């Protein structure tokens, strides 16, 4: 029996070519961190991040943009606020044992900004605590890596009419009479996110403002007054890619993980992998 992490001997190599061994010692043989085949881009956030790999999602589009250049890893948690996110950061971003991502997006605030005394008050986080929680997350990411590109994304604007229509579609006449979120309050949280990004010298995308620059943004960008339509996802994708490129992470300048097929000799393929 082959030793753990080694390749068993084949009965007969095919077509005269030596066997390819894909197994490897996860510790790299010395107990050090294993370098992944591709750098990682981690998307950390609430449901807007969790849903980003649905058809037309901004995370899926990001994975396509960085195809074979970087692995886009989604760590989105529907309904979470920054208070609950603090319980996750040491597990998602351990300080040892895992090579840190080259970039991380932090996209929280839509739930923190839920109003007290309304149906979603369980998710509410006071705005100053929200800012402090974001600071704690950024500090932890900086402890993980001094070179990681950190990108804060503000909560999106709220289409209050859209939220009311959505509630009525779910609960009919029993739908709440008062909005559980308002655009004005979302803007308060967005401003704190922007100010903190400047203070901590990290990147920021102000989705709250950018969406509202377009006439009819309420229905164009938001599907239920809060979550994103394909057009809303496209806007987030565009802004995130622009920020990544501005930080030096241009997909066209990043190396492929393995040779392009055009570089592989049909007779001696092993040459391309030496």
């Amino acid at each position: 029996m082959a030793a753990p992490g080694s390749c068993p001997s084949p009965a007969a190599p095919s077509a005269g070519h030596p066997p390819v061994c894909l197994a490897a010692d996860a510790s790299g043989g010395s107990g050090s961190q294993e370098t992944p085949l591709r750098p990682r881009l981690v998307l950390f956030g609430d449901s807007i991040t969790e849903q980003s790999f649905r058809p037309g999602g901004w995370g899926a589009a990001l994975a396509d943009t960085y195809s074979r250049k970087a692995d886009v890893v989604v760590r989105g948690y529907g309904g979470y606020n920054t208070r609950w996110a603090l319980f996750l950061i040491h597990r998602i971003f351990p300080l040892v044992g895992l090579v840190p991502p080259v970039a991380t997006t932090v996209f929280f605030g839509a739930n923190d900004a839920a109003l007290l005394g309304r149906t979603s008050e369980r998710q509410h986080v006071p705005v100053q605590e929200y800012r402090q929680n974001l600071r704690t997350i950024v500090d932890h990411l900086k402890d993980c890596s001094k070179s990681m590109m950190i990108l804060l994304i503000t909560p999106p604007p709220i289409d209050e009419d859209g939220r009311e229509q959505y509630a009525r579609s779910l609960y009919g006449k029993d739908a709440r009479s008062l909005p559980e979120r308002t655009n004005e309050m979302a803007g308060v949280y967005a401003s704190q996110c922007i100010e903190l990004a400047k203070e901590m010298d990290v990147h920021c995308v102000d989705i709250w403002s950018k969406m509202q620059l377009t006439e009819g943004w309420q229905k164009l960008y938001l599907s239920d007054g809060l979550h994103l339509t394909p057009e809303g996802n496209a806007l987030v994708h565009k802004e995130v890619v622009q920020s990544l490129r501005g930080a030096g992470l241009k997909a066209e300048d990043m190396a492929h993980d393995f040779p392009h097929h055009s570089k592989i000799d049909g007779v001696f393929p092993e040459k391309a992998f030496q």
Side-chain angles (χ1 to χ4, degrees), residues 107-150:
F107 198 171
F108 287 99
N111 297 313
D112 300 66
L115 302 178
L116 285 174
R118 309 289 172 85
T119 53
S120 298
E121 71 172 352
R122 181 176 58 90
Q123 297 167 300
H124 172 78
V125 171
V127 67
Q128 288 305 316
E129 181 188 343
Y130 164 74
R131 178 173 177 144
Q132 180 56 45
N133 292 342
L134 281 183
R135 180 190 302 278
T136 300
I137 292 170
V138 171
D139 278 337
H140 179 78
L141 293 176
K142 287 185 174 183
D143 286 342
C144 286
S145 169
K146 302 303 181 186
S147 61
M148 184 193 309
M149 185 271 201
I150 301 169

Side-chain angles (χ1 to χ4, degrees), residues 9 36 66 114 142 155 180 206 245 254:
S9 300
Y66 287 88
K142 287 185 174 183
E180 95 285 27
D206 179 9
R245 292 176 61 84
M254 298 171 69

Side-chain angles (χ1 to χ4, degrees), residues 35-42 66 68-73 99-103 249 254-257:
T35 302
L37 290 175
R38 304 173 186 172
R40 292 183 303 135
L41 309 177
V42 176
Y66 287 88
R68 293 191 57 189
K69 303 297 184 70
D71 285 330
V72 179
V73 181
V99 174
V102 294
L249 293 173
M254 298 171 69
H256 284 94
D257 50 0

Side-chain angles (χ1 to χ4, degrees), residues 1-271:
M1 178 178 295
S6 64
C7 285
S9 300
S14 62
H17 295 299
V20 177
C21 178
L22 298 180
D25 181 358
S27 68
S30 63
S32 59
Q33 291 178 327
E34 182 184 11
T35 302
L37 290 175
R38 304 173 186 172
R40 292 183 303 135
L41 309 177
V42 176
L43 315 182
F44 185 40
D46 53 32
S47 58
I48 300 175
T49 296
E50 182 178 357
Q51 296 174 11
S52 69
F53 258 65
R54 291 181 177 180
W58 64 276
L62 198 64
D64 180 63
T65 299
Y66 287 88
S67 176
R68 293 191 57 189
K69 303 297 184 70
D71 285 330
V72 179
V73 181
V74 176
R75 293 294 181 265
Y77 302 88
Y80 272 56
N81 53 33
T82 54
R83 182 184 296 165
W84 302 340
L86 296 184
F87 292 98
L88 309 180
I89 55 175
H90 288 274
R91 299 188 182 190
I92 298 174
F93 306 98
L95 295 178
V96 295
L98 186 66
V99 174
V102 294
T104 297
T105 62
V106 181
F107 198 171
F108 287 99
N111 297 313
D112 300 66
L115 302 178
L116 285 174
R118 309 289 172 85
T119 53
S120 298
E121 71 172 352
R122 181 176 58 90
Q123 297 167 300
H124 172 78
V125 171
V127 67
Q128 288 305 316
E129 181 188 343
Y130 164 74
R131 178 173 177 144
Q132 180 56 45
N133 292 342
L134 281 183
R135 180 190 302 278
T136 300
I137 292 170
V138 171
D139 278 337
H140 179 78
L141 293 176
K142 287 185 174 183
D143 286 342
C144 286
S145 169
K146 302 303 181 186
S147 61
M148 184 193 309
M149 185 271 201
I150 301 169
L151 174 60
L152 301 186
I153 306 176
T154 72
I158 300 294
D159 171 18
E160 294 165 34
D161 178 64
R163 290 305 289 166
E164 182 179 353
Q165 292 180 23
Y166 176 69
R168 287 180 178 176
S169 72
L170 291 180
Y171 308 114
K173 61 183 179 61
D174 296 324
R176 82 287 185 275
S177 58
L178 294 173
E180 95 285 27
R181 291 171 171 83
T182 66
N183 191 40
E184 180 182 8
M185 187 57 67
V188 171
Y189 284 70
S191 66
Q192 290 298 311
C193 179
I194 296 165
E195 289 179 13
L196 181 71
K198 291 178 180 177
E199 179 184 330
M200 302 195 73
D201 194 26
V202 297
H203 299 263
C204 184
V205 170
D206 179 9
I207 287 297
W208 187 83
S209 295
K210 289 184 181 296
M211 284 189 171
Q212 294 182 79
L213 294 175
T214 300
E215 185 177 355
W217 61 268
Q218 294 91 335
K219 302 300 184 286
L220 176 64
Y221 292 140
L222 304 173
S223 63
D224 58 2
L226 172 63
H227 297 93
L228 307 180
T229 62
E231 291 80 8
N233 275 286
L235 177 62
V236 173
H237 169 255
K238 175 185 175 182
E239 295 297 330
V240 169
V241 169
Q242 183 174 315
S243 294
L244 291 170
R245 292 176 61 84
L249 293 173
K250 299 179 180 180
E252 65 270 25
D253 293 341
M254 298 171 69
H256 284 94
D257 50 0
F258 287 114
H260 188 270
H261 71 86
S262 62
K263 306 297 183 181
I264 302 175
D265 189 296
V267 179
F268 301 104
E270 63 275 10
K271 290 183 178 180

